Amino acid sequence: MLSLTKAIEVVYERGVFRPLGRVELPEGTRGVVVIEEDVDAVVAKVDKLVKEKGIAIEDDPLEALIRGRR
C-alpha cells in the first residue's frame, strides 16, 4: 500500500479536531491524526508521578525499555 503524508496542524476542541489553516482535500477524505507530545513535558509528568507515589526506580529506564522490547 502506497500512502502520502500531509501534516495538518489541528486543535482539539469540544470533541472535534479543527484544522488551524486551510485544508485542500476532497470532501470525505479520511486520515489519521497523530498526536505529538513534547518529550520533556512527558518526562516531567512521569518524574512527578514517581516522586508522588514514592516509586523506587532501580534500573536505568532506557535499559529496562530495551529489555522489554526484546
Side-chain angles (χ1 to χ4, degrees):
M1 175 180 173
L2 181 63
S3 65
L4 298 175
T5 302
K6 222 177 234 212
I8 300 170
E9 194 172 1
V10 298
V11 63
Y12 185 71
E13 296 176 332
R14 296 182 219 152
V16 177
F17 289 101
R18 182 178 57 79
L20 295 178
R22 182 179 169 91
V23 178
E24 295 184 20
L25 294 171
E27 197 65 35
T29 298
R30 296 182 72 129
V32 175
V33 175
V34 176
I35 306 300
E36 293 180 354
E37 288 191 66
D38 176 29
V39 172
D40 292 333
V42 172
V43 169
K45 286 180 194 176
V46 171
D47 284 345
K48 181 179 176 190
L49 282 172
V50 166
K51 288 176 185 166
E52 286 175 359
K53 303 293 182 185
I55 300 170
I57 298 177
E58 299 182 15
D59 286 342
D60 177 289
L62 182 57
E63 289 179 15
L65 176 66
I66 292 169
R67 270 196 316 274
R69 293 188 172 235
R70 289 186 185 152

